[in-house]
Structure formats: structure tokens, C-alpha cells
């Protein structure tokens, strides 16, 4: 399924929750802010009193101040923080519940591989989920440590090479949520974005049905030229286009590239001009990216882009 190009992800952050996990965490944040404000006010009152009392001859006994301010108050404050935090943790599922939508996320420098193991679907940088259902994420990394963070849906979790972490998220309503990598992972860490599209059950199933399909066969001679350029320029060493001989796995699966909203992990929107610039000179768009410059002539590049744009 396609989003209108006008579809904008919500600009909300973690205090603008759009799911139960994010809501619990936002609640906790407000409680902690209230507690910190209370501690600050008590501190200001104590400071003011002590400044005024310095002029008085009868100072209070120092041990009372040390025990009260140095032991009793911190134990109460930290105790309340502990209880609030444990209570929030208890409400956030740590294990994937039965019936959750299974999604595997693999971090790469600098993009997200997204797999639906039960649906035989592989995509990149855009996660489609049905609204109102728990999503069981299993996350790992292919290279360095990354961190998955979609603020409106939940907290961060690290993607570690050689280890699988799990996380449960849920989106209340249909909407588009912006996420990013939250652990410095190299030169283009800042351009490792992702989108979570929460959809109605029907739209989600329609999206899955499209994603399961192999790429549609090329229809015109221009597209056939582009497909030949793709095969000869070395693209299949890294990219898969299901339904063709391209089955590389170092870079994103491109089978349904044209149906995505963004390019290069959300670096630019998915328009013809951006696609041409990105494919033609990837290092100008995302310096340091692992994709090599394909060094194509202008006609070949245009044919390649025309072909890629058919991959809906
Ligand atoms: Cu991946 Cu920062």
C-alpha cells in the first residue's frame, strides 16, 4: 500500500505517547519530574532557612542535619523513584506475548533490515504494523552496536552483534511514527532513521500481500535496459530483487523499493530526483556510506532509476 507523499510522520516525542508502552514511560517521566521538583523546592527552602539562620546564635545541632538531609531524605527520594520505576517496568511486557506480530530487525551501518519471518517478507527502514496489536520485535546487529528508538511508541533498546534482544511495542491508532538510531555507530549515525507505519488490519494485510510478491517483470525496453544496467553494475553483489538473479545481502532488499517513503534510511524522500542523485553519487548524499559509486554514464543511470521506480 502507498502513502500519499503528503503523509508526514508525527513530530511527537516520548512525551507524546501513541501506544501503551510509551504511555507508561511518559507517566513515569512525569512522576519523576514531580518528585524532582519537590526535592528542589525542599532544597530551596532549606537553603533559604540556613542562610537566614547563620545570623542567629543558636545553630541546630549538625548531626540532625547530616542524618536528616544526608540519609533520611535521600532514602525516601530514591525509594520512591525505585518503587515508581519497578511499577512501570512491571507494566511493560518484557516477553513477547502469544499472538504478537513477529518482526526481526537487524542493524547495519547505516540502515535497518526488517524481516517478517512468519510472512516471508523482507524490507528495509520502514516497519509496517497493524494498529492495536502487540508487536514482538527481535533485534540484533550485523556490525556495531545500534539502538532502536521510536519515541512515540516506546523506549530504546540496543542492537548488539551476536545477541538478540526482544522488545514489545504497540501502536494505539493508525499513524506514522519516526524513529532513529540512538547509539553512535559511525559517520552516518545521524542518518540512520526509520519509520513505523501503523495501519488498519486490512491495510496491513494488503501491504504484506504486495511485499510477498516478487518484483514485477519489466515491461518496456527502457526498463529492460535499466535492469541490465543493474545486473552489470555490480548491484546484485549487495542487493536482492526477488524474482530476478539479484540476491546479494549486504545492502537493503530492493524488491519493493518504489513503495517506500524514504531513501538511504530516511536521509531523503523517495522522489525521482533524489533516487537519481542517491544511486548516481551515494557519497554526496550520505558521505561514508558503504555503497560504492556505480560510475555510470548519464543514460545508464537514468535507465537504472527508471527501472528501480518500477519496483513497487
Ligand atoms: Cu546505528 Cu547509530
Amino acid at each position: 500500500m502507498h502513502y500519499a507523499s503528503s503523509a508526514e510522520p508525527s513530530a511527537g516525542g516520548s512525551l507524546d505517547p501513541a501506544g501503551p508502552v510509551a504511555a507508561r514511560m511518559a507517566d513515569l517521566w512525569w512522576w519523576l519530574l514531580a518528585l524532582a521538583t519537590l526535592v528542589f523546592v525542599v532544597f530551596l527552602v532549606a537553603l533559604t532557612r540556613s542562610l537566614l539562620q547563620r545570623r542567629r546564635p543558636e545553630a541546630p545541632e549538625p548531626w540532625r542535619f547530616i542524618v536528616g538531609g544526608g540519609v533520611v531524605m535521600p532514602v525516601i527520594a530514591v525509594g520512591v523513584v525505585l518503587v515508581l520505576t519497578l511499577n512501570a517496568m512491571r507494566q511493560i511486557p518484557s516477553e513477547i506475548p502469544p499472538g504478537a506480530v513477529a518482526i526481526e530487525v537487524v542493524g547495519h551501518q547505516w540502515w535497518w533490515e526488517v524481516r517478517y519471518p512468519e510472512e516471508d517478507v523482507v524490507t528495509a527502514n520502514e516497519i509496517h504494523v497493524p494498529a492495536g496489536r502487540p508487536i514482538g520485535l527481535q533485534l540484533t546487529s550485523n556490525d556495531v552496536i545500534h539502538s532502536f528508538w521510536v519515541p512515540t511508541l516506546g523506549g530504546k533498546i540496543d542492537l548488539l552483534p551476536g545477541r538478540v534482544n526482544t522488545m514489545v511495542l504497540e501502536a494505539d491508532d493508525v499513524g506514522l511514527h519516526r524513529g532513529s538510531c540512538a547509539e553512535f555507530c559511525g559517520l552516518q549515525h545521524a542518518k540512520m532513521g526509520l519509520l513505523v507505519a501503523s495501519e488498519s488490519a486490512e491495510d496491513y494485510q494488503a501491504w504484506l500481500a504486495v511485499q510477498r510478491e516478487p518484483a514485477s517483470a519489466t515491461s518496456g525496453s527502457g526498463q529492460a535496459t535499466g535492469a541490465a544496467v543493474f545486473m552489470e553494475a555490480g548491484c546484485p553483489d549487495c542487493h536482492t530483487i526477488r524474482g530476478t538473479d539479484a540476491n546479494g545481502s549486504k545492502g537493503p532488499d530492493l524488491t519493493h523499493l518504489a513503495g517506500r517513503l524514504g531513501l538511504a534510511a530516511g536521509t531523503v524522500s523517495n522522489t525521482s530526483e533524489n533516487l537519481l542523485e542517491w544511486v548516481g553519487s551515494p557519497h554526496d548524499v550520505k558521505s561514508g556510506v558503504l555503497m560504492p559509486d556505480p560510475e555510470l554514464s548519464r543514460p545508464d543511470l537514468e535507465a537504472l532509476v527508471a527501472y528501480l521506480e518500477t519496483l513497487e
Side-chain angles (χ1 to χ4, degrees):
M1 110 140 231
H2 274 248
Y3 278 92
S5 55
S6 61
E8 277 293 317
S10 78
S14 47
L15 297 182
D16 195 7
V21 174
R24 291 295 83 71
M25 295 177 67
D27 288 349
L28 175 62
W29 191 92
W30 286 110
W31 277 110
L32 294 185
L33 178 68
L35 181 67
T37 306
L38 180 66
V39 168
F40 186 59
V41 168
V42 169
F43 163 78
L44 285 183
V45 169
L47 178 69
T48 309
R49 278 189 57 187
S50 70
L51 288 173
L52 295 175
Q53 280 180 352
R54 281 180 69 177
R55 301 199 191 111
R56 294 191 202 158
E58 71 291 359
E61 288 186 64
W63 70 267
R64 283 175 60 189
F65 179 72
I66 291 169
V67 171
V71 178
V72 177
M73 279 219 3
V75 165
I76 293 172
V78 174
V80 173
V81 170
L82 180 70
V83 169
L84 289 173
T85 306
L86 289 177
N87 187 48
M89 286 170 69
R90 195 175 51 80
Q91 294 177 48
I92 293 172
S94 57
E95 284 178 13
I96 296 175
V101 177
I103 301 179
E104 297 170 356
V105 178
V106 184
H108 296 258
Q109 285 174 313
W110 293 279
W111 59 282
W112 309 86
E113 180 180 344
V114 181
R115 297 180 162 269
Y116 295 69
E118 291 162 6
E119 308 290 347
D120 211 16
V121 162
V122 181
T123 183
N125 305 323
E126 290 177 22
I127 303 178
H128 290 241
V129 300
R133 271 183 68 190
I135 311 301
L137 292 167
Q138 295 199 294
L139 310 102
T140 189
S141 170
N142 184 56
D143 36 49
V144 300
I145 300 175
H146 304 272
S147 180
F148 178 95
W149 190 28
V150 183
T152 47
L153 297 183
K156 301 170 191 172
I157 192 159
D158 278 358
L159 287 76
L160 305 169
R163 191 196 147 94
V164 177
N165 281 340
T166 58
M167 184 186 217
V168 181
L169 292 179
E170 186 176 325
D172 289 332
D173 296 310
V174 170
L176 206 49
H177 306 274
R178 197 192 299 273
S180 62
C181 181
E183 177 76 36
F184 181 73
C185 55
L187 191 59
Q188 291 296 349
H189 157 70
K191 289 181 181 170
M192 186 167 167
L194 77 144
L195 286 174
V196 176
S198 60
E199 301 170 322
S200 67
E202 302 79 54
D203 285 350
Y204 173 65
Q205 289 302 332
W207 178 81
L208 282 179
V210 169
Q211 299 296 312
R212 275 191 215 105
E213 292 294 314
S216 48
T218 52
S219 52
S221 64
Q223 290 164 20
T225 307
V229 170
F230 183 88
M231 292 299 166
E232 284 155 23
C235 309
D237 292 347
C238 296
H239 295 284
T240 289
I241 298 179
R242 279 174 286 126
T244 75
D245 292 337
N247 61 0
S249 59
K250 291 193 201 106
D253 184 304
L254 302 178
T255 310
H256 298 288
L257 172 71
R260 295 182 197 149
L261 284 173
L263 297 170
T267 302
V268 290
S269 56
N270 192 357
T271 64
S272 299
E273 305 87 75
N274 287 342
L275 185 58
L276 193 120
E277 197 184 351
W278 168 231
V279 176
S281 45
H283 290 261
D284 291 344
V285 175
K286 201 168 175 179
S287 175
V289 71
L290 296 182
M291 173 151 144
D293 190 328
E295 294 173 354
L296 296 172
S297 69
R298 184 77 188 184
D300 279 356
L301 180 61
E302 285 175 358
L304 174 57
V305 167
Y307 166 61
L308 292 175
E309 289 196 302
T310 67
L311 301 174
E312 292 197 338

